[in-house]
Amino acid sequence: MTDTDPHTQARDLLTSLGTTVASEWSAPGRVNLIGEHTDYNDGFVFPFATPHRTHVALAPRADGRLRVISTFDTVPVEVAIADLDAIFPTVDGEHAVPEWSAYPLGVAWALIQAAGADPTTLTGADLAFASNVPVGAGLSSSAAIEGATASALNELWSLGLDRVALAQVGRRAENEAVGAPTGIMDQMASMLGEPDAATFLDCRSLETDEVELGFAAAGLSLLVMDTNVKHAHSTGGYGERRASCEKGARVMGVPMLRDLSVADLDRAAELLDDVTFRRVRHIVTENQRVLDTVRTLREQGPRAIGSLLDASHASMRDDFEISVPELDLAADTAVAAGAIGARMTGGGFGGAAIALVETDAVDTVTRAVEQAFADAGFTAPTIFPVTPSAGARRDG
Ligand code: GLA
């Protein structure tokens, strides 16, 4: 491992506090292949774990305190475990602790809640984090830090929570400690990912199926095209989209938009205002596209899913209105340069798009997108291939 490897960085950072590393953990970010904004509507998603990971090195302490430190902010943040309850849940998005530390400390708080543990009996710990998951790129650096922390503390505290329960802990931390009203997709992908597979997840039952992708065997690569337009889901558009979906379900008389199908859209057009209708149409058709993608992959293989990826992007651009010009340009240019399909991925308003391409065409597509960004006067994108990878794990 090189010095820049985040595993080594986390270990060195912890050692620099004068402590001895007792255990090491990591969890990945995620790329969503298809199924966007469907998770908080109880729908279907189909993400996979990235090779990029957040690493944490842990050393227990005898004084019942948690100290967290990261290569992003090397000023440690320290709290007594017994005081977490006074810090969280976050009120009105105001953080009593520095923003980044609300992720690991919020996970500690949510873990204690989920396990019904007595905080005064729990062992303290120093936790040092380092990551190579790009932040703000739509690859869920937040789920990576949540998954790594939840896995580490679950074992330190002998709580015995399973991976799905740890994903739920991560989501609760994100919703109530960080204040971002997200769904559970990212945490499930980070906890459950497997190499060369994507997680087909029913967000209502939390049942999952690992579906083999077979990209490499088919001579295909999946490119991430990070537009370098940063986004944050604790502010703005994400929450508004969520509110529109809730309104749509209310007017349609169903608990969640998951309970509507494409056949209900004519009635939805009559009952809903134009904007709400288009938000609803995105969710309903996107759920169907996830089901179609899983079926198509199984029956025909990865080359056949391109048009579903393209249709998903169009729906997010036109109906859900969460794309930005950079994401549209990346997706359109990739397809024009020969990609099998392309779409923005993640929450939107910036972040990354993905393109499924012949491995032989990776350079051509990359150059075409870079050139198009230069011609448009946009900040240069960061383009790289990703291989579906393993979920959270203990590394040492
Ligand atoms: C963000 C959220 C997820 C999901 C996606 C959109 O990544 O964290 O829960 O809603 O946006 O699909």
Side-chain angles (χ1 to χ4, degrees), residues 106-148:
V107 164
W109 166 77
L111 257 184
I112 294 167
Q113 302 281 318
D118 174 357
T120 61
T121 64
L122 298 174
T123 308
D126 287 328
L127 298 155
F129 295 90
S131 181
N132 60 6
V133 185
V135 173
L139 301 187
S140 206
S141 54
S142 52
I145 190 170
E146 288 155 6

Side-chain angles (χ1 to χ4, degrees), residues 204-280:
R204 171 166 279 170
S205 65
L206 296 187
E207 276 169 27
T208 59
D209 205 356
E210 293 300 320
V211 179
E212 192 183 328
L213 292 171
F215 290 161
L220 301 179
S221 295
L222 196 99
L223 284 182
V224 169
M225 306 178 286
D226 179 3
T227 61
N228 289 313
V229 177
K230 300 296 174 203
H231 70 94
H233 294 321
S234 48
T235 51
Y238 188 96
E240 281 171 28
R241 294 304 180 280
R242 204 175 161 138
S244 292
C245 291
E246 282 160 13
K247 178 179 170 191
R250 208 165 44 241
V251 176
M252 291 298 289
V254 290
M256 298 296 248
L257 292 183
R258 152 71 179 275
D259 299 299
L260 298 179
S261 70
V262 174
D264 294 310
L265 288 176
D266 285 348
R267 191 168 60 91
E270 282 166 23
L271 293 178
L272 300 172
D273 63 85
D274 173 60
V275 170
T276 310
F277 170 67
R278 287 186 292 114
R279 305 299 186 247
V280 167

Side-chain angles (χ1 to χ4, degrees), residues 12 20-21 78 81 99 114 137-139 171 179 208 276 296 346 359 365 368:
D12 290 350
T20 307
V21 176
E78 190 176 322
I81 296 173
E99 167 112 29
L139 301 187
R171 183 201 179 172
T208 59
T276 310
T296 303
T359 300
V365 171

Side-chain angles (χ1 to χ4, degrees), residues 353-373:
I354 55 173
L356 185 61
V357 299
E358 304 286 349
T359 300
D360 288 351
V362 163
D363 287 347
T364 312
V365 171
T366 301
R367 273 199 302 274
V369 175
E370 285 169 349
Q371 188 61 51
F373 271 56

Side-chain angles (χ1 to χ4, degrees), residues 87-119:
I87 300 174
F88 302 118
T90 292
V91 179
D92 295 335
E94 290 297 319
H95 297 288
V97 291
E99 167 112 29
W100 82 267
S101 68
Y103 289 92
L105 296 176
V107 164
W109 166 77
L111 257 184
I112 294 167
Q113 302 281 318
D118 174 357

Side-chain angles (χ1 to χ4, degrees), residues 30 32 35-40 182-186 233 238 346-347:
R30 65 96 191 91
N32 190 17
E36 225 65 81
H37 287 257
T38 43
D39 60 352
Y40 56 80
T182 58
I184 197 155
M185 167 171 74
D186 306 343
H233 294 321
Y238 188 96

